[in-house]
Amino acid sequence: MGLLLVLRPPQPRQKNLRRATRAQRREHRRTDAEEWETAQRRGWLLDVEVEKLLLLANNAENSRLLILGQLDPWSDTVLDRHDLPRLEADVDRLEAVAGDDAQRELVAAMRKLLMSWRAEPDLMLHCYGD
């Protein structure tokens, strides 16, 4: 299971593709694929293993994490620019308790994503759980 963190521009309301033609569905999937590739190239995408994040969050006393402690890794969430300082504080707490190289790498990747967000103020952080 994973949690996908992606910096994206604000999204228009999702259209229901239930009655879309096959061509419309193909175009929708093609556009999504291009957006994900661009996000990955720019460093705006991070795929996190839920088990690693939960273990790290538990070590940081999950209840003290203002954003990550409330995040449900099995559902979708959108965070806006106002959440950035609290999310950075959460990552600082995670960094303080990271016990091995894998956890330190995860924290570093999260910090890099947040730095990208700080540099692009019009983006939102979309969290897609599965």
Side-chain angles (χ1 to χ4, degrees):
M1 284 190 269
L3 178 65
L4 189 66
L5 305 175
V6 183
L7 292 173
R8 300 177 76 184
Q11 299 295 298
R13 200 152 188 217
Q14 183 92 11
K15 292 181 181 177
N16 186 348
L17 293 179
R18 186 176 53 191
R19 292 189 176 155
T21 65
R22 282 189 300 237
Q24 288 170 322
R25 288 177 191 274
R26 274 194 308 272
E27 178 62 23
H28 182 73
R29 282 193 294 271
R30 186 186 63 76
T31 303
D32 281 350
E34 288 173 0
E35 182 181 353
W36 296 123
E37 287 174 20
T38 300
Q40 190 164 22
R41 203 171 39 252
R42 291 182 176 173
W44 294 356
L45 185 139
L46 178 61
D47 194 358
V48 178
E49 289 183 38
V50 171
E51 294 82 17
K52 287 183 181 179
L53 181 59
L54 290 177
L55 178 62
L56 192 54
N58 286 337
N59 291 345
E61 297 179 39
N62 201 15
S63 62
R64 294 185 60 210
L65 299 173
L66 300 173
I67 300 290
L68 294 175
Q70 308 304 314
L71 190 63
D72 182 355
W74 293 277
S75 65
D76 299 343
T77 304
V78 178
L79 302 173
D80 68 17
R81 189 82 174 155
H82 296 61
D83 296 313
L84 184 57
R86 292 180 295 169
L87 194 52
E88 287 174 326
D90 285 355
V91 171
D92 289 343
R93 284 188 187 93
L94 294 179
E95 186 173 45
V97 300
D100 60 29
D101 288 341
Q103 290 180 345
R104 284 187 281 281
E105 286 176 19
L106 174 58
V107 171
M110 292 177 76
R111 188 168 306 285
K112 183 178 176 184
L113 182 69
L114 296 180
M115 287 175 26
S116 295
W117 192 11
R118 188 166 286 289
E120 297 286 341
D122 296 334
L123 300 178
M124 300 180 82
L125 181 61
H126 291 252
C127 308
Y128 300 103
D130 66 2

